[in-house]
Amino acid sequence: MKDTKQQFEHVIGICRDLFAKKLHDYGAAWRIMRPTSITDQIFIKANRIRSIETKGVTMVDEGIRPEFIGIVNYGIIGLIQLELGYAEKDDMKVEKAMELYDRYAKQALDLMLAKNHDYDEAWRSMRISSYTDLILMKIYRTKQIEGHDGATLVSEGIDANYMDMINYSVFGLIKLEFGE
């Protein structure tokens, strides 16, 4: 399966499946999270990936794949929270959460396809560790923007950074799933 769109849809399907299962188990408990907390959660996952890449060993028997899946899912949660704001309790039905998940996954796919056209799939020549570093950079940018209450002078906003984090994670998952 060399077609990028198919590969993207395949790995997003894996992420979506886990999201749906966790939604069943926990409900939409994430609705209470403020965007800054979501950014920090993504940071924890990206930092763990970098730690594993650097150290080469893990003390917890999970590799980088689950962390990339987590970044995709928290990135989509972040986009949902930016749109709706956070809630004081789990206030979302499963159907609505999945509808929003699918909408943002589709937006991420559309963005990736547009950028892929312009950049000629340069990501395929990159190392997975570069995706990790780019995600961490996007997190630090996001934290800076959050520190300015979301206001930027010339830069894209928090939502664009979440989208990029999602897509870099998808690239990592594609490489892990399908190889170089």
Side-chain angles (χ1 to χ4, degrees), residues 104-170:
Y104 283 113
K106 172 81 167 74
Q107 285 180 19
L109 170 63
D110 291 344
L111 177 65
M112 185 274 301
L113 290 173
K115 286 187 175 185
N116 241 14
H117 174 270
D118 292 352
Y119 291 99
D120 287 329
E121 295 202 334
W123 66 270
R124 289 197 181 270
S125 298
M126 294 171 63
R127 297 171 187 94
I128 292 175
S129 61
S130 293
Y131 308 142
T132 306
D133 291 349
L134 288 165
I135 292 166
L136 285 164
M137 180 191 65
K138 293 288 181 176
I139 291 165
Y140 284 112
R141 286 181 177 183
T142 301
K143 286 182 174 197
Q144 189 73 24
I145 296 167
E146 289 168 345
H148 297 297
D149 295 323
T152 61
L153 297 177
V154 296
S155 304
E156 296 176 309
I158 295 168
D159 57 341
N161 282 286
Y162 280 153
M163 279 287 183
D164 287 343
M165 290 180 228
I166 292 166
N167 281 332
Y168 288 131
S169 296
V170 166

